[in-house]
Every structure is written in structure tokens, then in C-alpha cells.
């Protein structure tokens, strides 16, 4: 081989290795899926669920981009930050990159979305938080609730050359990876600071359009680098503190986050790092439809008032609050910066109104599979649905209530509805279940119940601390807007609250009394309670909300109807390809997918199961006990006893007959009046379904 050919071959090999190591593998970046985007013409909206198209208040694009007062970064930084790859590969906001975190594309709007950022990114033009760490003023970009609460289902259309098609689910759970996104932002800032060429490129973009002289430009670049370094240092200090104190919890991955844990960490860290805890209670992003009319608006039945939940949510995703001054100052001067925050309460109210509507259950509707190309209209499927409806009423409705359409037609039924005395509005009574009874992963509820906050040597419950912060933010915002009477009721979603300030209709006699009541938690039970329970919401639209259980530990509805031991112990999250038969997303491994391991803290897939009880459990239910192993009869004798059969009759049972006898005995045992917190069959809701029953119930659930 000629010498020049050898040299060329070596160069080609080196180039190929360089490409594979640095470019194809995106060295330096967080591993992310390579996603195939749904073409706009192949994206469907569900009839009956659509908001008016447009950018005005109450319209779809406004909801997707309206600011809640949160901050990720200054806007000019965000749109000029390069991807965190060692070899330059473009900006984070370049088309297609943010979508790899699961964010959904959105159209350009000159004001609300000039750079065509995905759904859920919002601009705050006049952000002003000198108390934030680091301080920030001016135009910023943050997340809004649509980022986590706008979903999409995709499928392959065999009738159209196997084209990828999508269905947008307004108010549905998103399949986004917030932890990977946060990590990417941190790495991108770090690489920008590390390499001069990267920083020069970044600075040119940030300072573009500013009429600066040479000296002034150099000074601005120096100042910009110092500001960027401060952001980076704050993030690194937080990470190092978490590493040293072992505060790194269970990663939520795609479609999940520890909402209450992160809200507490973001709020209470201002009082000192000792208030940080391990976020080990990840939850699915819940669907929003019908929620404004629920009496409990949080998974663990902890928050009654939607505005309080929404303020907490805004704080959790980056709206800073000032907690630097003595709480007593709030009674002396309402203009004090204590509890000052960037939370946009007006927009939170407008969003909640858009979701809930002004009449009971008249807001955002749940998505109907019947309105999609995935619906099975065959006579066989309809027969399954009819039979499944009977099963639902027998096995599910006692906990999850009748379908929304039936509830809406039965507003005077006091079993389901309470009536707010002042507003006259009906609020739906959800059933809640003790952790021991439901048996699902307890971390989300237990973490909030146990958590405390320490400020200058005084320890209080996290519930009381969060109540105080959100209450002062809320009342200050109402005062600044000049709200009174019916307007306050409207902002509070028609719930009367006795603890408001006297000038806003509350029962405290003076502002000082109001402040003292808030700090003591006098009226907290009307707003926020650290319950050891989970709520059961109506199941309308449940087909569009995988994965399942509050922590997303069960990949599909079919497995939800199986014994916990039969559920997947591990599976992958990140795909939105829909599996209609099992009612869930594809969970096979792919590059960049997130592995959900149900053995990790907060990820348990136990509980809420339908299974037959074991021999020992059936004996316990009947009070059968044996003095010692030596005096314990054979398994054959024991089974005959618990099933009320002779041993010869037991021997003649076929496997199918034996299974059904055990199921009947299980049903009888579960109907006994057990004390909830001493329930001997933790998490068992009913006897096991057979395959035929599962098919019927699944087909009905898909029709809700």
C-alpha cells in the first residue's frame, strides 16, 4: 500500500474515532433520547378538550406560555447558551434539542414566544428578585405549569405507511425529564465558563444589539462572566452540600418529580442548608381536568385550596421568596420585603379558571379515546365495555366515585358533594385512604408529614412553614390587586377562608392578629393538612395518564389490575408510544431512556392490588392459629379448613375450581371490618381478577 494511502487511512480512522467519541456520543452532555418528532399535520387535538386556539388569556397558546413568575435563567442567557458538548454543536434552544427532554413543540409568537420555545417555557419581562440567590432582575425565562401538565400520546399508523402520529392531551401528564434538564443547564454554564471561545460566543449573543463602546463592552463582558460564575457557583455549592450530607434522593426521570420535597427544599433553604432533605418521594405529574372542584388538590390529600397549591408549585420550579427578615416584622409594616416573591398570583388564578371553569366541572374536559383514531368501535369491544361497566361499579366505584358526567348530574347528592356556605358552589368529596390500607409507596405522604423547618433555633412543621409562606404571598398579592369580597372568593376557587386579613374579609381583628394567626397556624386546617393518606380521584381520562400509581411505578393499567408480585420490577420511561392493549406506554429499553427501579426509595409498586390471599392470611382472617409447628396440620388439612371443605372434597377440586374457592374466601375476608391502620392485608383491595374480567374492565376504563 502506498505511503499516502496509509496516511489517509490513519486520518480516516482518527476522524471516525473522533466523531464517535466527541460528536456522536455528545461527550460532556447528559445522555438524551434521539426523538422522532410528530409532523404538525400528524398531530391531533381531541374534540371536546380543545381550548380556543390563540395567545389571549384563556386560549391554548396563552396557557402554554403564561408566566407564573418563575426563573430558570435570564432570557438572553438561555437563548444563547450552547449545548454542553465538548465539541460545539449549537444552542440549547436550537430546534429539536429541548424536545429530547420530552418538552413539546410550540409555535412562535412575537411577544409570548419569540424564539419558538416548547410548551411550558414562559417569559417574565420585569422579573425583580434582588433577594434571590443569585439576584436577578429584568427579562427571564422560567417554567409554567403547562410544561408538566401537557401530554402527548404517539402511535404508528399502519394505514399511512406506519407514519408517527400524535394526540395532544391538554392538562395531561407530560413525559419530561426535569432532572436531566437541570443537569444540562448546569453543565452548559460550566463549559461556557471553562472555554474562552465558548464564553466569547455566548457574550456576543447576550450583548448583541447593545450600543456599547470598546471599554464599556469589555466591562459588560467582565460583569457578565462574574454573574454567570455566581449562578454556577451557587449550583455547585448546593450540589456539593447534597453530596456531603447524602441528600441525593431518588431521581424522578421522565414524567416524575418529588414535587413536595423540592418545593420544601427551594423554600426552606433560604432559612439555612440544614432545612434541606432527601427528595425520595417522586410522583407522576397528575392530570389537571376536574381538579379545581376537588376538596383535596394534592396526591396526599394535604392541600384544600388550589391557589395555595399553585403558589407552592411556582415556588418549587423557581419563583424565589424572601425569608431573610424576622417574621414579627410582618405585623409592623406590610411593605416589608419579608415574604416578597415573584409569584404571579393573577396568572395562577387565570390558569385555574381556565382549567376549572366557573360552573361545577365545566372547565377542561378529560380526553375521550372515542374521539381518537385509537378507539375500537367493534361490537366485540362494546360488549366488553358493557360488562366492564358492571365490574367497575362493583369493584372500583366505591373508591373512585362514578364517572364525572354522572357526578355532574347529581350535584345535590351529599354523599359526593359539599356546598360552600358563602359562594354556594359544590365541591366534590374525594375519598382518601390511609397508607396502611392502600399499601402504596408511603414516602410522598410520610416525608411531608415528618418534615420540619428550623429558623433561628425554632423548629416548626414543614406544613406550617409552607402555609405561612404561601399565605403571606397570597394575601399580599390580593391586597396589591385591590381584591375584595367575591373577587377573593373567585381567586380562592370559591372556598371560604376565615384566616384572611381583616381588610380581605377574614375573622382576625387587626393586621397584627392576622400575622400572629398565620405564624401560629391557627387556620391552617382550612388550607393545608399533613395527612397520612392518599386520595382516589375519578378515573375519567385514566387511559391517557400512564404510568400508574401516584409514583408512576406501574407501567400500564393491565398491571394495575394484577397482583403486585406480577408487576414489572424495572422498566424504562421516556417513550410516548401507546400500547392500547395494556393501556400504557412502551417500556422497552432505548438509548437515553430512564430506568425506573421499583426497589429504590419512593419507587415501590406495591399496594392497590387485586390478589387472592395466602393460606396464612386466610387463617388470620378466620382467627385460626396453631400452638406450635409440631401441632400444625398438613397444608391439605389447613386449606380444607379455611375453604370449609372436607379433605376429600378439597382433593377433587381442579386448579381452576381451587382458585375460585380461594377467591371467594378472599372476598369474604376483605369484607370484614378491619381497622384501617391495623389492616392485616395491606394494599389488597379485592380478590384477583381473571383474564376475562381484566379485559372487560380495561375496555371500560378506556371509555371514561
Amino acid at each position: 500500500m502506498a505511503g499516502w494511502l496509509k496516511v489517509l487511512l490513519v486520518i480516516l480512522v482518527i476522524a471516525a474515532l473522533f466523531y464517535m467519541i466527541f460528536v456522536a456520543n455528545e461527550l460532556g452532555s447528559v445522555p438524551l433520547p434521539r426523538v422522532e418528532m410528530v409532523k404538525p399535520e400528524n398531530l391531533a387535538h381531541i374534540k371536546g378538550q380543545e381550548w380556543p386556539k390563540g395567545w389571549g388569556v384563556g386560549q391554548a397558546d396563552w396557557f402554554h406560555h403564561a408566566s407564573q413568575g418563575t426563573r430558570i435563567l435570564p432570557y438572553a442567557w438561555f437563548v444563547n447558551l450552547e449545548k454542553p458538548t465538548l465539541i460545539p454543536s449549537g444552542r440549547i434552544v436550537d430546534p429539536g434539542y429541548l424536545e429530547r427532554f420530552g418538552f413539546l413543540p410550540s409555535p412562535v409568537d412575537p411577544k409570548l414566544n419569540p424564539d419558538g420555545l416548547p410548551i411550558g417555557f414562559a417569559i417574565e419581562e420585569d422579573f425583580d428578585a434582588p433577594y434571590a440567590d443569585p439576584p436577578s432582575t429584568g427579562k427571564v425565562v422560567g417554567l409554567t405549569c403547562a410544561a408538566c401538565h401537557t401530554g402527548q400520546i404517539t402511535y404508528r399508523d399502519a394505514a399511512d405507511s406506519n407514519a408517527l402520529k400524535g394526540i395532544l392531551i391538554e392538562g395531561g401528564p407530560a413525559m419530561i425529564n426535569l432532572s436531566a434538564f437541570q443537569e444540562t443547564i448546569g453543565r452548559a454554564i460550566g463549559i461556557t465558563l471553562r472555554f474562552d471561545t465558548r464564553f466569547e460566543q455566548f457574550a456576543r449573543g447576550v450583548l448583541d444589539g447593545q450600543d456599547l463602546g470598546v471599554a464599556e463592552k469589555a466591562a459588560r463582558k467582565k460583569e457578565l462572566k462574574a454573574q454567570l460564575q455566581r449562578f454556577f457557583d451557587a449550583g455547585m455549592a448546593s450540589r456539593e452540600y447534597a453530596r456531603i450530607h447524602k441528600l441525593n434522593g431518588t431521581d424522578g426521570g421522565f414524567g416524575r418529580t418529588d414535587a413536595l420535597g423540592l418545593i420544601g427544599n427551594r423554600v426552606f433553604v433560604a432559612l439555612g442548608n440544614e432545612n434541606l432533605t432527601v427528595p425520595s418521594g417522586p410522583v407522576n405529574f397528575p392530570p389537571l381536568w376536574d381538579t379545581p372542584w376537588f376538596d383535596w388538590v394534592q396526591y396526599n390529600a394535604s392541600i384544600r385550596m388550589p391557589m395555595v397549591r399553585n403558589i407552592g408549585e411556582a415556588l418549587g420550579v423557581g419563583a424565589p421568596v424572601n425569608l431573610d427578615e424576622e417574621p414579627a416584622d410582618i405585623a409592623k409594616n406590610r411593605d416589608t420585603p419579608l415574604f416578597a416573591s415573584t409569584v404571579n398570583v393573577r396568572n395562577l388564578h387565570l390558569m385555574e379558571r381556565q382549567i376549572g371553569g366557573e360552573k361545577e366541572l365545566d372547565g377542561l374536559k378529560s380526553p375521550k379515546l372515542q374521539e381518537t383514531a385509537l378507539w375500537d368501535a367493534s361490537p366485540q369491544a362494546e360488549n366488553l365495555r358493557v360488562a366492564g361497566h358492571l365490574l367497575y361499579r362493583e369493584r372500583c366505584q366505591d373508591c373512585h366515585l362514578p364517572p364525572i358526567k354522572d357526578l355532574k348530574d347529581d350535584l345535590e347528592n351529599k354523599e359526593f358533594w359539599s356546598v360552600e356556605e358563602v359562594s354556594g358552589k359544590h365541591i366534590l368529596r374525594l375519598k382518601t385512604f390511609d397508607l396502611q390500607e392502600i399499601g402504596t409507596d408511603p414516602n410522598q405522604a410520610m416525608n411531608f408529614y415528618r418534615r420540619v423547618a428550623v429558623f433561628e433555633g425554632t423548629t416548626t412543621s414543614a406544613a406550617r412553614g409552607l402555609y405561612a409562606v404561601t399565605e403571606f404571598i397570597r394575601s399580599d398579592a390580593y391586597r396589591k390587586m385591590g381584591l375584595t369580597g367575591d373577587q377573593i372568593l373567585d381567586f380562592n376557587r370559591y372556598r371560604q377562608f376565615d384566616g384572611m386579613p381583616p381588610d380581605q374579609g377574614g375573622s382576625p381583628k387587626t393586621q397584627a392578629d392576622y400575622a400572629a394567626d398565620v405564624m401560629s397556624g391557627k387556620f391552617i386546617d382550612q388550607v393545608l393538612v399533613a395527612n397520612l393518606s392518599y386520595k382516589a380521584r375519578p378515573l375519567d381520562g385514566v387511559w391517557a395518564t400512564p404510568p400508574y400509581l401516584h409514583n408512576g411505578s406501574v407501567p400500564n393499567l393491565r398491571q394495575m389490575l394484577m397482583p403486585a408480585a406480577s408487576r414489572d420490577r424495572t422498566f424504562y420511561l421516556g417513550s410516548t408510544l401507546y400500547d392500547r392493549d395494556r393501556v400504557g406506554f412502551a417500556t422497552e429499553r432505548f438509548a437515553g431512556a430512564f430506568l425506573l427501579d421499583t426497589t429504590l426509595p419512593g419507587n415501590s409498586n406495591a399496594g392497590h392490588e387485586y390478589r387472592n390471599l395466602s393460606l396464612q392470611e386466610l387463617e388470620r382472617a378466620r382467627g385460626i392459629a396453631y400452638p406450635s409447628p409440631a401441632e400444625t396440620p398438613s397444608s391439605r388439612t389447613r386449606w380444607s379448613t379455611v375453604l370449609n371443605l372436607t379433605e376429600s372434597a378439597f382433593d377433587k377440586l381442579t386448579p381452576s375450581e381451587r382458585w375460585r374457592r380461594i377467591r371467594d374466601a378472599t372476598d369474604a375476608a376483605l369484607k370484614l371490618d378491619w381497622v384501617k391502620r391495623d389492616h392485616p392485608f395491606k394494599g389488597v383491595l379485592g380478590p384477583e381478577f381473571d383474564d376475562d374480567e381484566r379485559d372487560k374492565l380495561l375496555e371500560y376504563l378506556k371509555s371514561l
Side-chain angles (χ1 to χ4, degrees), residues 39 52 94 147 195 199 203 231 252 476 531 534 547 563 623 693:
K39 295 179 180 178
D94 286 347
F195 298 103
F199 178 75
F231 261 83
D476 282 351
N531 280 326
Y534 292 131
E693 289 171 324

Side-chain angles (χ1 to χ4, degrees), residues 493-509:
R493 287 304 299 174
Y494 313 116
R495 275 88 159 168
Q496 176 67 18
F497 174 51
D498 296 330
M500 295 295 288
D503 60 346
Q504 295 177 25
S507 61
K509 295 180 180 180

Side-chain angles (χ1 to χ4, degrees), residues 338-401:
L338 181 66
F339 299 109
S341 175
T342 61
V343 174
N344 192 323
V345 170
R346 183 183 295 278
N347 276 1
L348 292 180
H349 162 64
L350 293 171
M351 291 174 184
E352 195 72 23
R353 176 188 284 178
Q354 184 168 339
I355 297 165
E358 297 182 36
K359 294 182 179 180
E360 290 84 348
L361 302 176
D362 243 7
L364 177 66
K365 303 296 187 293
S366 60
K368 301 301 178 187
L369 190 63
Q370 299 92 312
E371 301 294 339
T372 75
L374 298 173
W375 180 247
D376 184 353
S378 69
Q380 296 90 337
E382 181 57 29
N383 289 337
L384 288 174
R385 286 191 283 271
V386 171
H389 189 190
L390 296 176
L391 273 171
Y392 178 84
R393 287 194 295 188
E394 177 188 346
R395 306 288 290 274
C396 308
Q397 185 165 298
D398 187 54
C399 298
H400 287 284
L401 307 186

Side-chain angles (χ1 to χ4, degrees), residues 160-199:
D160 188 11
S161 303
N162 218 31
L164 183 68
K165 295 192 174 180
I167 303 167
L168 190 73
I169 310 294
E170 293 286 11
M175 187 59 78
I176 62 173
N177 193 329
L178 287 176
S179 57
F181 175 66
Q182 184 179 27
E183 174 72 13
T184 293
I185 296 297
R187 290 192 188 190
I189 292 175
I191 288 177
T192 300
L193 288 167
R194 177 67 180 83
F195 298 103
D196 290 341
T197 54
R198 291 287 185 95
F199 178 75

Side-chain angles (χ1 to χ4, degrees), residues 42-50 151-157 165-170 289 365-378 385 541 543-544 578-580 583 699 701-704:
N42 287 338
L43 181 64
H45 294 73
I46 295 180
K47 183 180 178 181
Q49 214 212 7
E50 295 172 291
Q152 181 174 277
I153 284 172
T154 57
Y155 64 97
R156 295 287 178 185
D157 189 350
K165 295 192 174 180
I167 303 167
L168 190 73
I169 310 294
E170 293 286 11
W289 47 82
K365 303 296 187 293
S366 60
K368 301 301 178 187
L369 190 63
Q370 299 92 312
E371 301 294 339
T372 75
L374 298 173
W375 180 247
D376 184 353
S378 69
R385 286 191 283 271
W543 64 271
Y578 197 64
D579 182 338
R580 188 189 178 281
V583 193
E699 204 60 45
L701 290 173
K702 284 184 278 190
S703 74
L704 288 176

